[in-house]
Amino acid sequence: MTISIRLTPEEEERLEKLSQRTGRSKSFYVRAALREHLTDLEDAFAADESLGAFEAAGSRSQPLAALKAETEL
């Protein structure tokens, strides 16, 4: 799939310099950045969904200190 994105002049310059210094294509770095960022976004979205389900079920959280005090023998 081919997509088109708009970069700021600074982003374009940085990408071009990195590409020239390393001998790798600009596309290589854009794909690498996208892969990493997509993983972060997917994780954040999954966490938001889980929190929403937790709250919708009427569950409540408690501070860690309270949980530790409750479980200490």
Side-chain angles (χ1 to χ4, degrees):
M1 173 170 87
T2 301
I3 62 171
S4 175
I5 61 170
R6 292 193 178 148
L7 300 175
T8 65
E10 179 188 350
E11 292 165 338
E12 188 174 0
E13 182 181 345
R14 290 174 65 193
L15 186 58
E16 180 65 34
K17 284 181 180 179
L18 179 62
S19 177
Q20 288 175 354
R21 270 195 346 236
T22 63
R24 294 197 180 255
S25 69
K26 292 182 276 187
S27 293
F28 171 85
Y29 289 110
V30 170
R31 284 191 308 270
L34 182 61
R35 271 192 303 274
E36 183 159 337
H37 192 62
L38 280 176
T39 299
D40 292 344
L41 289 173
E42 290 164 342
D43 290 347
F45 186 73
D48 285 345
E49 282 182 321
S50 295
L51 179 59
F54 179 80
E55 291 172 340
S59 300
R60 292 182 37 152
S61 63
Q62 59 179 320
L64 180 58
L67 181 59
K68 283 182 177 180
E70 186 179 301
T71 58
E72 286 181 356
L73 299 175

